[in-house]
Amino acid sequence: MHYLLSHRTTYTYASSVDSAHHIAHLRARAFPGQKVTSIGIVTHPQPALAVEHVDHFGNLIDIYRLDQPHQRFDIEVRADIEVKFPDPPPEKETPPWEEIRKALGGAGFPAPIEASEFVHESPLVPIEDALRAYGAESLTPRRPILEAARDLTTRIKNDFDYHPGATDISTPLHEVFEGKAGVCQDFAHVMIAALRAHGLAAGYVSGYIRTVNSKEEAALRGADASHAWVAVWCGEKAGWVHLDPTNDLVASQDHVAIAWGRDFSDVSPLRGVILGGGRHTYSVAVTLVPTG
């Protein structure tokens, strides 16, 4: 699927900002299954310094320094992207999840080095006993890893209510789990925690979703196209498989990936430090237009 993407964020400050430093995760990354034909970012005011960089996880980031006083900051990305995630292997042909856990542990020398760092706790995904028990219902003995992970996505979709406003990024994971309501980032964190609690590797993926599925003509759950899901390590042969617990889907051509990390804190679309400004409000406008 070919998409034209526009993502505009506007910050309005109660008083003048004298200077600011921002880090943006807004550039879609290229990988097998996604090709970025063109991409550009425009800011207002223009920064005194703008640097492109690649972070620890291979994401493309932009670093800005704004020196001139301003009461409004606009940043917009426009991109031309082609998406077709590779089809995963049949679920029952993937290894038992215990074998994946053993390889990720590796007695101190894990075989998949890059995947092994996604086994551990992270700032927004602590290991909770309740999430361990929740994951255990899907991770039954000798069950193939992808079959177990798909069962977990289905259960999260059925057990949790999609309720914008029920949580925010500061809501602790245990409160999300107890309340059984939230949005896509919450459900991604729940799934990641349930898998990591059993020694499995799961990463947080930030991106967008086409909110109408062309095959079913049914609305998919997502916040104005902004979305988050989970990449699960399914072994050397299958690699990372992207699963969407909010909609109980295997990512295919309805998902556009921007960045991935351990949790939302690694891939926040925009964060920074400002001098002045007082209270602020912000607005986000996203359009994801399929063109064929």
Side-chain angles (χ1 to χ4, degrees):
M1 181 61 67
H2 182 248
Y3 291 103
L4 296 178
L5 167 69
S6 171
H7 180 160
R8 184 184 183 92
T9 304
T10 298
Y11 286 85
T12 304
Y13 304 100
S15 59
S16 179
V17 172
D18 294 323
S19 65
H21 290 76
H22 297 284
I23 297 176
H25 283 91
L26 291 171
R27 293 183 185 268
R29 61 185 292 169
F31 59 94
Q34 183 164 287
K35 178 182 178 181
V36 181
T37 304
S38 66
I39 193 164
I41 296 180
V42 176
T43 69
H44 184 79
Q46 291 187 348
L49 175 69
V51 178
E52 294 181 29
H53 186 58
V54 178
D55 71 8
H56 171 74
F57 301 105
N59 303 309
L60 304 175
I61 64 174
D62 290 271
I63 302 171
Y64 302 110
R65 188 184 77 228
L66 283 73
D67 287 344
Q68 60 179 296
H70 56 280
Q71 282 191 254
R72 172 172 167 155
F73 177 54
D74 294 281
I75 181 168
E76 181 177 13
V77 58
R78 291 182 177 271
D80 190 321
I81 303 168
E82 295 180 30
V83 178
K84 179 60 175 76
F85 284 68
D87 293 330
E91 295 174 11
K92 292 186 179 298
E93 293 181 11
T94 57
W97 69 268
E98 295 95 335
E99 292 184 10
I100 301 296
R101 177 178 63 184
K102 183 178 180 180
L104 287 165
F109 297 93
I113 297 294
E114 293 183 359
S116 64
E117 67 180 310
F118 291 90
V119 171
H120 307 288
E121 289 185 310
S122 57
L124 299 179
V125 183
I127 302 295
E128 305 271 358
D129 288 341
L131 272 299
R132 181 180 288 106
Y134 188 73
E137 295 180 38
S138 295
L139 295 163
T140 53
R142 303 295 298 172
R143 193 173 194 182
I145 178 65
L146 186 53
E147 181 180 270
R150 285 292 291 121
D151 181 69
L152 184 57
T153 63
T154 299
R155 290 174 51 224
I156 292 172
K157 170 70 164 23
N158 293 335
D159 293 345
F160 289 77
D161 292 328
Y162 182 78
H163 185 183
T167 60
D168 58 38
I169 194 57
S170 66
T171 304
L173 185 59
H174 71 88
E175 291 186 13
V176 173
F177 183 71
E178 292 167 1
K180 295 296 188 293
V183 293
C184 54
Q185 68 186 27
D186 300 309
F187 306 150
H189 286 157
V190 166
M191 182 170 178
I192 291 168
L195 293 169
R196 288 184 188 167
H198 292 271
L200 299 172
Y204 181 100
V205 187
S206 172
Y208 306 99
I209 189 170
R210 181 169 56 156
T211 53
V212 174
N213 185 312
S214 61
K215 295 180 181 179
E216 300 176 356
E217 294 301 327
L220 298 178
R221 301 195 294 186
D224 297 326
S226 296
H227 202 52
W229 59 93
V230 179
V232 181
W233 179 253
C234 293
E236 295 286 357
K237 184 177 180 179
W240 293 99
V241 178
H242 290 233
L243 302 177
D244 178 356
T246 304
N247 294 290
D248 189 19
L249 292 174
V250 178
S252 178
Q253 60 182 7
D254 290 322
H255 296 71
V256 175
I258 301 300
W260 55 68
R262 297 166 302 165
D263 58 38
F264 175 82
S265 65
D266 286 331
V267 296
S268 173
L270 188 68
R271 68 179 185 270
V273 177
I274 66 173
L275 178 62
R279 297 178 64 86
H280 73 271
T281 58
Y282 73 96
S283 61
V284 177
V286 178
T287 57
L288 186 65
V289 180
T291 61

